[in-house]
Amino acid sequence: MRRRLPISTSQEEMEKSNGKPHRSRLCLLASLSVLFWLLIFYFHFAVLSSGPPQQSVQAVAFPSTSLQEEEHLSHRKNPVGGLLPPPRETVKEEIFPFVRALRTASNRTDPCGGRYIYVYDLPSRFNDLMLRDCRKLSLWTNMCKFMSNSGLGPPLENVEGVFSNTGWYATNQFAVDVIFNNRMKQYECLTKDSSLAAAVFVPFYAGFDIARYLWGYNISVRDAASLDLVNWLMKRPEWKVMGGKDHFLVAGRITWDFRRLTDTDSDWGNKLLFLPAAKNMSMLVVESSPWNANDFGIPYPTYFHPARDSDVFQWQDRMRKLERKWLFSFAGAPRPDNPKSIRGQIIEQCKASPVCKLLECDFGESKCHSPSSIMQMFQSSLFCLQPQGDSYTRRSAFDSMLAGCIPVFFHPGSAYTQYTWHLPRNYTKYSVFIPEDGIRKNNVNIEETLKQIPSEVVKVMREEVISLIPGIIYADPRSKLETLKDAFDVAVQAVIKKVTKLRKDIIEGREDKDFIEENSWKYNLLEEGQHKVGPHEWDPFFSKPKDSNGDSGSSVSESAMNSWKNEQRDHT
């Protein structure tokens, strides 16, 4: 028998046999190792680290999470050892820098949770310096006296007993810039930590800025402060969080002063609201555009600025008890240069009616310039006629409601599509609507129309108007109402709600791709939960006016210019 040789494992014997069995084994192990690590890397990067496709796009658009939030995530421990991957919902939220602000709303121990406002400390050229040079804020009015008392103007004497004893001031109708800014200084939920803010306030006096340069200045001068502001804001870290979509500012002028369409010197206003960056911000104005989405209507200031809740309650009780001897009244001047205006017909109908009180406003001395005369007339009337002014809106609407007088509107743009934050969407609760075409064609008699409303209904409507008073007045900026919400509070709450919804939509990836900005007025009328708009009975009122060149700029600019001309007339 041949004897089997023992297998040798020495290096020398392996080399003699060329090492083939061992090298094959090594290659196999190396291949398996490489495959294993490739699978690990693929699982880590392609599965654990990936989110929905939409998320990756949003992550590029916004900065990453804060260091505090990353530390919070990194300390999520697995009960059996090691780190747990964060839940998918947490990963989705943590990439957005505004999540911390959203979470404050769920903190029940924080009375300001979800309500914090961050206010920029702007260079004084954007606000205070304008007030120091207040004589230049209007060509025809010494605005310096109206800047007294935190923007309320000089106190009104109650010689005729029309007002209450305190809280009444000769407030200029375009003073909202400074009134709102001073009210913001008293806001109870201000924060210096912008990461907590539900919204960011920009205290730029946009209305006062444009008032200085509307007449006799070229577009470079008119646009200078707006461009300067936008450039300043875009360099701020707070701006980068949402590209300005959580920012808001206030202007006490109508929107058309800020919507110049061309760079021709003869065109009206500046282009603040058409600047790409400013389109992201929300601008609160006393009259907004029905066709644009970046402005929102807030009330004109009235003469009443209470310091306490009791001042408001006493005034409301007084308005309830008044005897009103006039069925309806009108304070205003005709517009003979405007063929579309129905003021001439309204004045004629009032003159012809034994139950109408008329205050005709014209050049020179007029009771229309007397707050006491205006308020006395409104207090003695059941209904107050509020046709369009030079533009859609007029301060008179708010003065009349303050007096407990039921407003009669002739165009939905005068209130219904403007002040959706402050007035009920169901306009029949507090007002009467008479389409202006009926007046223009002499098909409607105002006296007969109003007499057909049952007295019980009138009483309910008047009570509704009186109940709206707190939300349409601006409280004294040097104090604060205890329980009531004034026009400032309502506006700030609405801005916060708007920004909060936008933030949640961004996190969830919701986007209304069917949104049509030219139908903005329709979206403002939607109830909670509604998203679609369609044909509306008011479409004829908002068919966008076109000039011979196919744009709507000339007509709205003309309205704004006429408004300023009549402001000049009121002070000559």
Side-chain angles (χ1 to χ4, degrees):
M1 292 180 64
R2 294 184 61 183
R3 185 178 176 185
R4 175 180 279 180
L5 294 174
I7 299 175
S8 173
T9 59
S10 68
Q11 183 176 358
E12 182 179 351
E13 291 174 334
M14 288 294 293
E15 288 175 353
K16 289 180 181 179
S17 61
N18 294 325
K20 289 182 181 179
H22 189 61
R23 287 182 181 178
S24 299
R25 221 174 280 124
L26 284 175
C27 290
L28 177 62
L29 289 174
S31 300
L32 289 174
S33 177
V34 170
L35 179 61
F36 174 79
W37 284 108
L38 284 174
L39 288 172
I40 290 294
F41 280 114
Y42 173 81
F43 183 77
H44 177 75
F45 289 106
V47 179
L48 289 181
S49 297
S50 69
Q54 188 172 356
Q55 172 193 330
S56 62
V57 174
Q58 292 171 341
V60 174
F62 295 91
S64 61
T65 105
S66 68
L67 179 60
Q68 289 178 329
E69 291 166 336
E70 290 178 14
E71 290 174 350
H72 170 73
L73 286 175
S74 65
H75 288 85
R76 296 174 59 88
K77 297 291 183 179
N78 188 328
V80 296
L83 293 177
L84 278 176
R88 182 172 294 273
E89 292 78 8
T90 304
V91 174
K92 190 174 184 180
E93 291 183 359
E94 292 293 349
I95 64 173
F96 302 107
F98 48 72
V99 170
R100 187 182 179 206
L102 286 176
R103 286 177 178 164
T104 64
S106 59
N107 184 358
R108 297 182 180 179
T109 63
D110 184 358
C112 288
R115 299 172 53 228
Y116 286 108
I117 297 291
Y118 178 83
V119 180
Y120 278 118
D121 182 15
L122 290 181
S124 60
R125 65 182 181 273
F126 294 120
N127 40 49
D128 291 342
L129 279 183
M130 295 185 202
L131 301 188
R132 293 178 200 172
D133 206 8
C134 53
R135 290 188 178 276
K136 294 184 178 180
L137 295 181
S138 174
L139 281 175
W140 312 290
T141 306
N142 180 5
M143 292 295 291
C144 295
K145 67 177 182 179
F146 294 112
M147 297 302 100
S148 62
N149 295 306
S150 298
L152 305 183
L156 287 172
E157 295 183 8
N158 192 23
V159 177
E160 300 178 51
V162 177
F163 314 123
S164 44
N165 292 327
T166 59
W168 291 82
Y169 298 85
T171 305
N172 186 276
Q173 67 173 329
F174 301 120
V176 170
D177 301 62
V178 68
I179 294 174
F180 202 99
N181 190 30
N182 284 324
R183 282 283 285 111
M184 184 62 79
K185 293 175 183 177
Q186 302 298 327
Y187 183 65
E188 68 272 21
C189 294
L190 296 179
T191 180
K192 293 184 178 180
D193 183 353
S194 61
S195 69
L196 294 175
V200 178
F201 179 58
V202 183
F204 172 50
Y205 291 158
F208 291 156
D209 168 53
I210 192 58
R212 300 178 294 177
Y213 304 125
L214 272 174
W215 298 93
Y217 292 89
N218 62 33
I219 60 170
S220 296
V221 175
R222 282 181 261 158
D223 292 339
S226 297
L227 293 170
D228 187 10
L229 174 75
V230 166
N231 289 335
W232 188 91
L233 288 173
M234 292 177 68
K235 296 175 183 176
R236 299 284 301 191
E238 296 84 3
W239 179 272
K240 294 179 174 65
V241 171
M242 293 185 70
K245 291 183 179 180
D246 53 354
H247 288 45
F248 71 106
L249 65 159
V250 173
R253 307 288 322 188
I254 62 177
T255 189
W256 315 114
D257 289 338
F258 310 99
R259 293 191 177 278
R260 193 188 70 246
L261 290 173
T262 74
D263 286 338
T264 304
D265 282 341
S266 59
D267 278 1
W268 183 258
N270 69 23
K271 61 178 180 181
L272 171 60
L273 284 174
F274 283 135
L275 296 176
K279 285 184 177 182
N280 285 349
M281 293 190 284
S282 298
M283 188 157 167
L284 315 188
V285 288
V286 292
E287 176 177 319
S288 63
S289 164
W291 309 299
N292 298 98
N294 59 334
D295 58 0
F296 302 87
I298 59 174
Y300 286 85
T302 65
Y303 302 111
F304 186 38
H305 306 280
R308 295 174 297 276
D309 285 11
S310 58
D311 295 340
V312 182
F313 295 144
Q314 290 172 10
W315 179 255
Q316 288 175 303
D317 288 340
R318 181 174 168 180
M319 294 304 98
R320 290 186 182 100
K321 297 172 183 177
L322 287 177
E323 292 293 327
R324 300 176 185 266
K325 62 180 181 179
W326 301 105
L327 176 64
F328 64 108
S329 61
F330 175 65
R335 294 289 187 267
D337 296 334
N338 182 359
K340 295 183 178 180
S341 175
I342 61 170
R343 285 189 172 206
Q345 291 96 321
I346 284 177
I347 290 173
E348 291 305 314
Q349 285 205 34
C350 189
K351 286 180 176 180
S353 172
V355 291
C356 181
K357 172 69 174 175
L358 176 66
L359 274 182
E360 286 194 84
C361 308
D362 217 326
F363 289 99
E365 291 299 320
S366 169
K367 288 186 176 181
C368 283
H369 305 150
S370 164
S372 179
S373 298
I374 292 173
M375 291 302 295
Q376 191 173 46
M377 183 187 75
F378 289 157
Q379 289 175 32
S380 63
S381 307
L382 285 174
F383 297 95
C384 294
L385 308 185
Q386 300 296 345
Q388 294 187 73
D390 299 291
S391 57
Y392 290 127
T393 63
R394 44 191 322 237
R395 170 190 178 150
S396 176
F398 295 100
D399 289 333
S400 65
M401 286 190 280
L402 175 60
C405 187
I406 300 167
V408 180
F409 295 111
F410 301 85
H411 192 292
S414 295
Y416 306 148
T417 61
Q418 290 286 342
Y419 310 108
T420 53
W421 291 349
H422 297 80
L423 300 175
R425 281 180 168 80
N426 182 1
Y427 61 89
T428 61
K429 294 174 64 177
Y430 72 94
S431 71
V432 175
F433 180 56
I434 302 176
E436 59 186 12
D437 243 14
I439 304 298
R440 189 176 292 115
K441 297 176 181 178
N442 294 316
N443 293 331
V444 176
N445 183 282
I446 298 172
E447 178 183 336
E448 292 178 0
T449 300
L450 298 178
K451 280 184 174 179
Q452 290 174 5
I453 303 175
S455 58
E456 298 81 10
V457 175
V458 173
K459 185 177 180 180
V460 172
M461 293 174 70
R462 185 168 69 247
E463 179 58 34
E464 179 69 20
V465 170
I466 293 172
S467 73
L468 293 173
I469 288 175
I472 62 172
I473 58 177
Y474 296 90
D476 192 322
R478 297 162 295 186
S479 58
K480 190 178 187 316
L481 302 180
E482 299 89 51
T483 61
L484 296 175
K485 303 296 184 185
D486 72 339
F488 168 88
D489 292 317
V490 173
V492 170
Q493 183 178 353
V495 169
I496 290 174
K497 181 179 179 181
K498 173 181 176 289
V499 174
T500 300
K501 180 182 182 303
L502 176 60
R503 286 173 169 176
K504 291 180 178 178
D505 286 348
I506 290 173
I507 289 175
E508 296 301 323
R510 290 192 296 264
E511 180 184 359
D512 187 359
K513 297 181 179 179
D514 297 324
F515 179 79
I516 302 173
E517 187 173 21
E518 195 167 312
N519 288 334
S520 292
W521 66 272
K522 295 185 182 183
Y523 291 99
N524 292 336
L525 298 176
L526 293 177
E527 297 293 341
E528 195 75 31
Q530 292 182 321
H531 304 287
K532 300 290 184 180
V533 298
H536 197 282
E537 61 179 314
W538 291 339
D539 283 337
F541 289 95
F542 296 109
S543 55
K544 208 169 182 182
K546 306 289 183 181
D547 62 17
S548 57
N549 295 320
D551 68 56
S552 60
S554 62
S555 59
V556 295
S557 295
E558 186 177 347
S559 296
M561 187 179 298
N562 287 336
S563 177
W564 277 81
K565 288 179 178 177
N566 284 294
E567 183 181 344
Q568 174 189 16
R569 181 192 64 188
D570 292 342
H571 294 90
T572 54

